[in-house]
PDB file of all heavy atoms in Angstrom:
ATOM      1  N   THR A   1       0.792  -1.255  -0.006  1.00  0.00           N
ATOM      2  CA  THR A   1      -0.006   0.001  -0.010  1.00  0.00           C
ATOM      3  C   THR A   1       0.822   1.249  -0.060  1.00  0.00           C
ATOM      4  O   THR A   1       0.495   2.195  -0.714  1.00  0.00           O
ATOM      5  CB  THR A   1      -0.901   0.044   1.237  1.00  0.00           C
ATOM      6  OG1 THR A   1      -1.695  -1.198   1.254  1.00  0.00           O
ATOM      7  CG2 THR A   1      -1.884   1.194   1.201  1.00  0.00           C
ATOM      8  N   ASP A   2       1.949   1.282   0.778  1.00  0.00           N
ATOM      9  CA  ASP A   2       2.736   2.487   0.900  1.00  0.00           C
ATOM     10  C   ASP A   2       4.097   2.397   0.362  1.00  0.00           C
ATOM     11  O   ASP A   2       4.949   3.207   0.619  1.00  0.00           O
ATOM     12  CB  ASP A   2       2.849   2.790   2.456  1.00  0.00           C
ATOM     13  CG  ASP A   2       3.278   4.259   2.666  1.00  0.00           C
ATOM     14  OD1 ASP A   2       2.796   5.144   1.993  1.00  0.00           O
ATOM     15  OD2 ASP A   2       4.164   4.460   3.557  1.00  0.00           O
ATOM     16  N   ALA A   3       4.338   1.306  -0.467  1.00  0.00           N
ATOM     17  CA  ALA A   3       5.685   1.119  -1.013  1.00  0.00           C
ATOM     18  C   ALA A   3       6.022   2.153  -2.094  1.00  0.00           C
ATOM     19  O   ALA A   3       5.118   2.520  -2.908  1.00  0.00           O
ATOM     20  CB  ALA A   3       5.812  -0.277  -1.540  1.00  0.00           C
ATOM     21  N   THR A   4       7.258   2.578  -2.132  1.00  0.00           N
ATOM     22  CA  THR A   4       7.704   3.540  -3.151  1.00  0.00           C
ATOM     23  C   THR A   4       7.897   2.687  -4.473  1.00  0.00           C
ATOM     24  O   THR A   4       8.532   1.603  -4.412  1.00  0.00           O
ATOM     25  CB  THR A   4       9.010   4.177  -2.726  1.00  0.00           C
ATOM     26  OG1 THR A   4       8.768   4.877  -1.505  1.00  0.00           O
ATOM     27  CG2 THR A   4       9.528   5.127  -3.808  1.00  0.00           C
ATOM     28  N   PRO A   5       7.479   3.208  -5.585  1.00  0.00           N
ATOM     29  CA  PRO A   5       7.644   2.412  -6.843  1.00  0.00           C
ATOM     30  C   PRO A   5       9.090   2.129  -7.071  1.00  0.00           C
ATOM     31  O   PRO A   5      10.000   2.888  -6.812  1.00  0.00           O
ATOM     32  CB  PRO A   5       7.102   3.404  -7.934  1.00  0.00           C
ATOM     33  CG  PRO A   5       6.060   4.166  -7.162  1.00  0.00           C
ATOM     34  CD  PRO A   5       6.620   4.377  -5.796  1.00  0.00           C
ATOM     35  N   VAL A   6       9.367   0.902  -7.592  1.00  0.00           N
ATOM     36  CA  VAL A   6      10.694   0.452  -7.932  1.00  0.00           C
ATOM     37  C   VAL A   6      10.793   0.266  -9.420  1.00  0.00           C
ATOM     38  O   VAL A   6      10.311  -0.750 -10.022  1.00  0.00           O
ATOM     39  CB  VAL A   6      11.056  -0.890  -7.188  1.00  0.00           C
ATOM     40  CG1 VAL A   6      12.475  -1.286  -7.455  1.00  0.00           C
ATOM     41  CG2 VAL A   6      10.823  -0.801  -5.707  1.00  0.00           C
ATOM     42  N   GLY A   7      11.288   1.288 -10.120  1.00  0.00           N
ATOM     43  CA  GLY A   7      11.325   1.183 -11.629  1.00  0.00           C
ATOM     44  C   GLY A   7      10.025   1.432 -12.186  1.00  0.00           C
ATOM     45  O   GLY A   7       9.004   1.792 -11.579  1.00  0.00           O
ATOM     46  N   CYS A   8       9.913   1.244 -13.521  1.00  0.00           N
ATOM     47  CA  CYS A   8       8.690   1.592 -14.277  1.00  0.00           C
ATOM     48  C   CYS A   8       7.746   0.409 -14.361  1.00  0.00           C
ATOM     49  O   CYS A   8       6.673   0.545 -15.000  1.00  0.00           O
ATOM     50  CB  CYS A   8       9.046   2.114 -15.653  1.00  0.00           C
ATOM     51  SG  CYS A   8       9.959   0.902 -16.629  1.00  0.00           S
ATOM     52  N   LYS A   9       8.067  -0.756 -13.795  1.00  0.00           N
ATOM     53  CA  LYS A   9       7.224  -1.883 -13.896  1.00  0.00           C
ATOM     54  C   LYS A   9       6.422  -2.200 -12.647  1.00  0.00           C
ATOM     55  O   LYS A   9       5.942  -3.288 -12.464  1.00  0.00           O
ATOM     56  CB  LYS A   9       8.151  -3.115 -14.179  1.00  0.00           C
ATOM     57  CG  LYS A   9       8.948  -3.016 -15.489  1.00  0.00           C
ATOM     58  CD  LYS A   9       9.924  -4.167 -15.656  1.00  0.00           C
ATOM     59  CE  LYS A   9      11.189  -3.952 -14.850  1.00  0.00           C
ATOM     60  NZ  LYS A   9      12.222  -4.935 -15.149  1.00  0.00           N
ATOM     61  N   SER A  10       6.224  -1.190 -11.850  1.00  0.00           N
ATOM     62  CA  SER A  10       5.592  -1.363 -10.543  1.00  0.00           C
ATOM     63  C   SER A  10       4.037  -1.317 -10.693  1.00  0.00           C
ATOM     64  O   SER A  10       3.480  -0.465 -11.411  1.00  0.00           O
ATOM     65  CB  SER A  10       6.016  -0.285  -9.547  1.00  0.00           C
ATOM     66  OG  SER A  10       7.418  -0.294  -9.327  1.00  0.00           O
ATOM     67  N   VAL A  11       3.410  -2.218  -9.984  1.00  0.00           N
ATOM     68  CA  VAL A  11       1.869  -2.274  -9.922  1.00  0.00           C
ATOM     69  C   VAL A  11       1.539  -2.431  -8.505  1.00  0.00           C
ATOM     70  O   VAL A  11       2.066  -3.253  -7.757  1.00  0.00           O
ATOM     71  CB  VAL A  11       1.387  -3.546 -10.715  1.00  0.00           C
ATOM     72  CG1 VAL A  11      -0.116  -3.591 -10.664  1.00  0.00           C
ATOM     73  CG2 VAL A  11       1.896  -3.541 -12.160  1.00  0.00           C
ATOM     74  N   ARG A  12       0.667  -1.589  -8.020  1.00  0.00           N
ATOM     75  CA  ARG A  12       0.246  -1.581  -6.615  1.00  0.00           C
ATOM     76  C   ARG A  12      -0.824  -2.631  -6.413  1.00  0.00           C
ATOM     77  O   ARG A  12      -1.960  -2.519  -6.862  1.00  0.00           O
ATOM     78  CB  ARG A  12      -0.262  -0.178  -6.181  1.00  0.00           C
ATOM     79  CG  ARG A  12      -0.138   0.026  -4.694  1.00  0.00           C
ATOM     80  CD  ARG A  12      -0.275   1.504  -4.307  1.00  0.00           C
ATOM     81  NE  ARG A  12       0.714   2.362  -4.851  1.00  0.00           N
ATOM     82  CZ  ARG A  12       1.903   2.536  -4.298  1.00  0.00           C
ATOM     83  NH1 ARG A  12       2.252   1.844  -3.215  1.00  0.00           N
ATOM     84  NH2 ARG A  12       2.834   3.293  -4.840  1.00  0.00           N
ATOM     85  N   THR A  13      -0.506  -3.680  -5.612  1.00  0.00           N
ATOM     86  CA  THR A  13      -1.423  -4.774  -5.415  1.00  0.00           C
ATOM     87  C   THR A  13      -1.834  -4.831  -3.939  1.00  0.00           C
ATOM     88  O   THR A  13      -2.902  -5.484  -3.603  1.00  0.00           O
ATOM     89  CB  THR A  13      -0.769  -6.122  -5.785  1.00  0.00           C
ATOM     90  OG1 THR A  13       0.357  -6.320  -4.935  1.00  0.00           O
ATOM     91  CG2 THR A  13      -0.423  -6.177  -7.249  1.00  0.00           C
ATOM     92  N   GLY A  14      -1.077  -4.336  -3.028  1.00  0.00           N
ATOM     93  CA  GLY A  14      -1.241  -4.608  -1.625  1.00  0.00           C
ATOM     94  C   GLY A  14      -0.479  -5.903  -1.213  1.00  0.00           C
ATOM     95  O   GLY A  14       0.144  -6.587  -2.094  1.00  0.00           O
ATOM     96  N   ILE A  15      -0.527  -6.268   0.044  1.00  0.00           N
ATOM     97  CA  ILE A  15       0.241  -7.402   0.529  1.00  0.00           C
ATOM     98  C   ILE A  15      -0.745  -8.482   0.981  1.00  0.00           C
ATOM     99  O   ILE A  15      -1.578  -8.244   1.800  1.00  0.00           O
ATOM    100  CB  ILE A  15       1.078  -6.955   1.839  1.00  0.00           C
ATOM    101  CG1 ILE A  15       1.972  -5.822   1.477  1.00  0.00           C
ATOM    102  CG2 ILE A  15       1.930  -8.152   2.275  1.00  0.00           C
ATOM    103  CD1 ILE A  15       2.487  -5.063   2.682  1.00  0.00           C
ATOM    104  N   PRO A  16      -0.617  -9.647   0.387  1.00  0.00           N
ATOM    105  CA  PRO A  16      -1.602 -10.698   0.648  1.00  0.00           C
ATOM    106  C   PRO A  16      -1.343 -11.315   2.029  1.00  0.00           C
ATOM    107  O   PRO A  16      -0.191 -11.408   2.463  1.00  0.00           O
ATOM    108  CB  PRO A  16      -1.370 -11.749  -0.431  1.00  0.00           C
ATOM    109  CG  PRO A  16       0.085 -11.525  -0.791  1.00  0.00           C
ATOM    110  CD  PRO A  16       0.346 -10.096  -0.591  1.00  0.00           C
ATOM    111  N   VAL A  17      -2.383 -11.724   2.717  1.00  0.00           N
ATOM    112  CA  VAL A  17      -2.260 -12.510   3.983  1.00  0.00           C
ATOM    113  C   VAL A  17      -2.982 -13.821   3.844  1.00  0.00           C
ATOM    114  O   VAL A  17      -3.875 -14.009   3.030  1.00  0.00           O
ATOM    115  CB  VAL A  17      -2.789 -11.694   5.185  1.00  0.00           C
ATOM    116  CG1 VAL A  17      -2.067 -10.358   5.309  1.00  0.00           C
ATOM    117  CG2 VAL A  17      -4.299 -11.504   5.040  1.00  0.00           C
ATOM    118  N   ARG A  18      -2.563 -14.769   4.655  1.00  0.00           N
ATOM    119  CA  ARG A  18      -3.153 -16.115   4.584  1.00  0.00           C
ATOM    120  C   ARG A  18      -4.627 -16.026   5.017  1.00  0.00           C
ATOM    121  O   ARG A  18      -5.023 -15.240   5.922  1.00  0.00           O
ATOM    122  CB  ARG A  18      -2.428 -17.053   5.478  1.00  0.00           C
ATOM    123  CG  ARG A  18      -0.980 -17.371   5.014  1.00  0.00           C
ATOM    124  CD  ARG A  18      -0.129 -17.975   6.108  1.00  0.00           C
ATOM    125  NE  ARG A  18       0.169 -17.018   7.166  1.00  0.00           N
ATOM    126  CZ  ARG A  18       0.575 -17.374   8.380  1.00  0.00           C
ATOM    127  NH1 ARG A  18       0.732 -18.634   8.659  1.00  0.00           N
ATOM    128  NH2 ARG A  18       0.890 -16.380   9.238  1.00  0.00           N
ATOM    129  N   ARG A  19      -5.406 -16.856   4.449  1.00  0.00           N
ATOM    130  CA  ARG A  19      -6.901 -16.773   4.667  1.00  0.00           C
ATOM    131  C   ARG A  19      -7.165 -17.086   6.190  1.00  0.00           C
ATOM    132  O   ARG A  19      -8.216 -16.598   6.727  1.00  0.00           O
ATOM    133  CB  ARG A  19      -7.655 -17.782   3.778  1.00  0.00           C
ATOM    134  CG  ARG A  19      -9.102 -17.411   3.583  1.00  0.00           C
ATOM    135  CD  ARG A  19      -9.732 -18.187   2.484  1.00  0.00           C
ATOM    136  NE  ARG A  19      -9.341 -17.790   1.163  1.00  0.00           N
ATOM    137  CZ  ARG A  19      -9.709 -16.683   0.547  1.00  0.00           C
ATOM    138  NH1 ARG A  19     -10.478 -15.792   1.191  1.00  0.00           N
ATOM    139  NH2 ARG A  19      -9.304 -16.470  -0.670  1.00  0.00           N
ATOM    140  N   SER A  20      -6.353 -17.931   6.783  1.00  0.00           N
ATOM    141  CA  SER A  20      -6.635 -18.282   8.243  1.00  0.00           C
ATOM    142  C   SER A  20      -6.581 -17.139   9.151  1.00  0.00           C
ATOM    143  O   SER A  20      -7.249 -17.045  10.154  1.00  0.00           O
ATOM    144  CB  SER A  20      -5.627 -19.354   8.662  1.00  0.00           C
ATOM    145  OG  SER A  20      -4.294 -18.817   8.653  1.00  0.00           O
ATOM    146  N   ILE A  21      -5.784 -16.075   8.750  1.00  0.00           N
ATOM    147  CA  ILE A  21      -5.627 -14.881   9.610  1.00  0.00           C
ATOM    148  C   ILE A  21      -6.977 -14.175   9.765  1.00  0.00           C
ATOM    149  O   ILE A  21      -7.239 -13.591  10.844  1.00  0.00           O
ATOM    150  CB  ILE A  21      -4.584 -13.929   8.974  1.00  0.00           C
ATOM    151  CG1 ILE A  21      -3.230 -14.579   8.884  1.00  0.00           C
ATOM    152  CG2 ILE A  21      -4.540 -12.619   9.726  1.00  0.00           C
ATOM    153  CD1 ILE A  21      -2.517 -14.762  10.233  1.00  0.00           C
ATOM    154  N   THR A  22      -7.827 -14.195   8.747  1.00  0.00           N
ATOM    155  CA  THR A  22      -9.028 -13.437   8.745  1.00  0.00           C
ATOM    156  C   THR A  22     -10.248 -14.198   9.079  1.00  0.00           C
ATOM    157  O   THR A  22     -11.370 -13.695   9.014  1.00  0.00           O
ATOM    158  CB  THR A  22      -9.232 -12.794   7.328  1.00  0.00           C
ATOM    159  OG1 THR A  22      -9.315 -13.812   6.344  1.00  0.00           O
ATOM    160  CG2 THR A  22      -8.072 -11.851   6.970  1.00  0.00           C
ATOM    161  N   ARG A  23     -10.109 -15.483   9.461  1.00  0.00           N
ATOM    162  CA  ARG A  23     -11.331 -16.256   9.813  1.00  0.00           C
ATOM    163  C   ARG A  23     -11.910 -15.706  11.103  1.00  0.00           C
ATOM    164  O   ARG A  23     -11.177 -15.318  12.043  1.00  0.00           O
ATOM    165  CB  ARG A  23     -11.032 -17.711   9.955  1.00  0.00           C
ATOM    166  CG  ARG A  23     -10.184 -18.129  11.125  1.00  0.00           C
ATOM    167  CD  ARG A  23      -9.966 -19.639  11.195  1.00  0.00           C
ATOM    168  NE  ARG A  23      -9.285 -20.095  12.335  1.00  0.00           N
ATOM    169  CZ  ARG A  23      -7.960 -20.301  12.479  1.00  0.00           C
ATOM    170  NH1 ARG A  23      -7.200 -20.012  11.386  1.00  0.00           N
ATOM    171  NH2 ARG A  23      -7.390 -20.670  13.568  1.00  0.00           N
ATOM    172  N   PRO A  24     -13.206 -15.536  11.196  1.00  0.00           N
ATOM    173  CA  PRO A  24     -13.938 -14.965  12.401  1.00  0.00           C
ATOM    174  C   PRO A  24     -13.721 -15.829  13.630  1.00  0.00           C
ATOM    175  O   PRO A  24     -13.875 -17.019  13.545  1.00  0.00           O
ATOM    176  CB  PRO A  24     -15.410 -14.896  12.019  1.00  0.00           C
ATOM    177  CG  PRO A  24     -15.438 -15.058  10.551  1.00  0.00           C
ATOM    178  CD  PRO A  24     -14.237 -15.903  10.120  1.00  0.00           C
ATOM    179  N   LEU A  25     -13.240 -15.206  14.714  1.00  0.00           N
ATOM    180  CA  LEU A  25     -13.033 -15.896  16.000  1.00  0.00           C
ATOM    181  C   LEU A  25     -13.497 -15.000  17.125  1.00  0.00           C
ATOM    182  O   LEU A  25     -13.230 -13.783  17.145  1.00  0.00           O
ATOM    183  CB  LEU A  25     -11.497 -16.188  16.147  1.00  0.00           C
ATOM    184  CG  LEU A  25     -10.835 -17.226  15.242  1.00  0.00           C
ATOM    185  CD1 LEU A  25      -9.356 -17.192  15.422  1.00  0.00           C
ATOM    186  CD2 LEU A  25     -11.386 -18.598  15.534  1.00  0.00           C
ATOM    187  N   GLU A  26     -14.197 -15.614  18.042  1.00  0.00           N
ATOM    188  CA  GLU A  26     -14.623 -14.847  19.247  1.00  0.00           C
ATOM    189  C   GLU A  26     -13.437 -14.608  20.131  1.00  0.00           C
ATOM    190  O   GLU A  26     -12.623 -15.555  20.348  1.00  0.00           O
ATOM    191  CB  GLU A  26     -15.704 -15.653  19.997  1.00  0.00           C
ATOM    192  CG  GLU A  26     -17.056 -15.675  19.266  1.00  0.00           C
ATOM    193  CD  GLU A  26     -17.702 -14.265  19.199  1.00  0.00           C
ATOM    194  OE1 GLU A  26     -17.471 -13.431  20.111  1.00  0.00           O
ATOM    195  OE2 GLU A  26     -18.339 -13.985  18.134  1.00  0.00           O
ATOM    196  N   PRO A  27     -13.286 -13.427  20.713  1.00  0.00           N
ATOM    197  CA  PRO A  27     -12.122 -13.150  21.594  1.00  0.00           C
ATOM    198  C   PRO A  27     -12.035 -14.145  22.762  1.00  0.00           C
ATOM    199  O   PRO A  27     -10.873 -14.648  23.100  1.00  0.00           O
ATOM    200  CB  PRO A  27     -12.329 -11.699  22.083  1.00  0.00           C
ATOM    201  CG  PRO A  27     -13.180 -11.102  21.049  1.00  0.00           C
ATOM    202  CD  PRO A  27     -14.093 -12.178  20.472  1.00  0.00           C
ATOM    203  N   GLN A  28     -13.151 -14.430  23.391  1.00  0.00           N
ATOM    204  CA  GLN A  28     -13.097 -15.335  24.567  1.00  0.00           C
ATOM    205  C   GLN A  28     -12.640 -16.711  24.129  1.00  0.00           C
ATOM    206  O   GLN A  28     -11.806 -17.324  24.861  1.00  0.00           O
ATOM    207  CB  GLN A  28     -14.454 -15.392  25.256  1.00  0.00           C
ATOM    208  CG  GLN A  28     -14.789 -14.105  26.012  1.00  0.00           C
ATOM    209  CD  GLN A  28     -15.358 -13.020  25.077  1.00  0.00           C
ATOM    210  OE1 GLN A  28     -15.568 -13.245  23.895  1.00  0.00           O
ATOM    211  NE2 GLN A  28     -15.637 -11.873  25.603  1.00  0.00           N
ATOM    212  N   ALA A  29     -13.104 -17.185  23.029  1.00  0.00           N
ATOM    213  CA  ALA A  29     -12.677 -18.563  22.530  1.00  0.00           C
ATOM    214  C   ALA A  29     -11.214 -18.576  22.174  1.00  0.00           C
ATOM    215  O   ALA A  29     -10.493 -19.527  22.451  1.00  0.00           O
ATOM    216  CB  ALA A  29     -13.529 -18.914  21.385  1.00  0.00           C
ATOM    217  N   ALA A  30     -10.778 -17.482  21.595  1.00  0.00           N
ATOM    218  CA  ALA A  30      -9.328 -17.399  21.203  1.00  0.00           C
ATOM    219  C   ALA A  30      -8.437 -17.397  22.438  1.00  0.00           C
ATOM    220  O   ALA A  30      -7.413 -18.038  22.499  1.00  0.00           O
ATOM    221  CB  ALA A  30      -9.092 -16.158  20.353  1.00  0.00           C
ATOM    222  N   ARG A  31      -8.907 -16.642  23.480  1.00  0.00           N
ATOM    223  CA  ARG A  31      -8.094 -16.553  24.665  1.00  0.00           C
ATOM    224  C   ARG A  31      -8.020 -17.917  25.365  1.00  0.00           C
ATOM    225  O   ARG A  31      -6.967 -18.370  25.887  1.00  0.00           O
ATOM    226  CB  ARG A  31      -8.680 -15.537  25.679  1.00  0.00           C
ATOM    227  CG  ARG A  31      -8.464 -14.102  25.141  1.00  0.00           C
ATOM    228  CD  ARG A  31      -9.231 -13.095  25.905  1.00  0.00           C
ATOM    229  NE  ARG A  31      -9.308 -11.804  25.186  1.00  0.00           N
ATOM    230  CZ  ARG A  31     -10.256 -10.890  25.402  1.00  0.00           C
ATOM    231  NH1 ARG A  31     -11.182 -11.106  26.259  1.00  0.00           N
ATOM    232  NH2 ARG A  31     -10.232  -9.740  24.695  1.00  0.00           N
ATOM    233  N   ARG A  32      -9.126 -18.664  25.434  1.00  0.00           N
ATOM    234  CA  ARG A  32      -9.086 -20.023  26.018  1.00  0.00           C
ATOM    235  C   ARG A  32      -8.170 -20.894  25.267  1.00  0.00           C
ATOM    236  O   ARG A  32      -7.398 -21.649  25.852  1.00  0.00           O
ATOM    237  CB  ARG A  32     -10.540 -20.601  25.979  1.00  0.00           C
ATOM    238  CG  ARG A  32     -11.512 -20.052  26.981  1.00  0.00           C
ATOM    239  CD  ARG A  32     -12.802 -20.841  27.046  1.00  0.00           C
ATOM    240  NE  ARG A  32     -13.832 -20.126  27.830  1.00  0.00           N
ATOM    241  CZ  ARG A  32     -14.757 -19.379  27.263  1.00  0.00           C
ATOM    242  NH1 ARG A  32     -14.848 -19.251  25.959  1.00  0.00           N
ATOM    243  NH2 ARG A  32     -15.636 -18.791  28.015  1.00  0.00           N
ATOM    244  N   ALA A  33      -8.184 -20.801  23.891  1.00  0.00           N
ATOM    245  CA  ALA A  33      -7.338 -21.646  23.129  1.00  0.00           C
ATOM    246  C   ALA A  33      -5.865 -21.399  23.423  1.00  0.00           C
ATOM    247  O   ALA A  33      -5.031 -22.222  23.244  1.00  0.00           O
ATOM    248  CB  ALA A  33      -7.642 -21.433  21.653  1.00  0.00           C
TER     249      ALA A  33
END
């Protein structure tokens, strides 16, 4: 998102994260785990 272009071949895509990171989890259940 905030990277400075590197040469003329730059395309802004963002940084991908693994799908498991974004799965919905209740805070209390996560703390117990």
Side-chain angles (χ1 to χ4, degrees):
T1 306
D2 196 42
T4 301
V6 184
C8 60
K9 299 174 282 189
S10 298
V11 180
R12 204 168 295 280
T13 60
I15 307 164
V17 301
R18 293 163 291 163
R19 201 170 290 285
S20 64
I21 297 292
T22 59
R23 70 179 186 266
L25 293 168
E26 289 296 326
Q28 289 81 5
R31 291 169 194 159
R32 286 191 191 96

